[in-house]
Amino acid sequence: MAEKTIMLCCAAGMSTSLLVSKMQKAAESDGVDAEIFATAAADADAKLEEKHPDVLMLGPQVRYLEGQFKEKLTIPVEVINMQDYGMLNGEKVLREALSLIK
């Protein structure tokens, strides 16, 4: 089992899966033991139950869900910076997620 679990949530899970690959590469090169996965907003509650992530990162297109998740979760919930998301800056998003966990 990974030391840290990072969940990304977006509208359909497509563009975010590209970001997940970039984040995994960054984690490997930094020696970070993390399970990073993406899910569609419709499946978010089931994945939260199943995986128990340490942090939830929301894609900019589902930022409207931030309040709902913050109300019901005890883990950090953050919207991914739109520029980092658009540029698929996995390293920066990984750093942000890890800083929220600490």
Side-chain angles (χ1 to χ4, degrees), residues 26-87:
E28 285 168 24
S29 69
D30 291 351
V32 175
D33 180 21
E35 177 186 357
I36 306 165
F37 66 96
T39 190
D43 300 327
D45 288 329
K47 283 291 186 192
L48 285 161
E49 274 298 305
E50 176 191 338
K51 299 276 195 172
H52 304 287
D54 298 302
V55 63
L56 172 61
M57 304 293 287
L58 301 174
Q61 70 275 45
V62 292
R63 71 175 337 119
Y64 65 91
L65 296 172
E66 183 180 16
Q68 292 173 8
F69 282 120
K70 281 187 172 178
E71 271 180 32
K72 65 182 176 185
L73 298 176
T74 57
I75 60 170
V77 177
E78 193 70 47
V79 176
I80 299 168
N81 175 289
M82 194 179 295
Q83 192 172 0
D84 295 336
Y85 187 87
M87 301 291 287

Side-chain angles (χ1 to χ4, degrees), residues 13-26:
M14 295 311 228
S15 49
T16 308
S17 61
L18 294 170
L19 183 57
V20 165
S21 334
K22 300 261 187 179
M23 290 174 71
Q24 285 170 330
K25 284 185 183 124

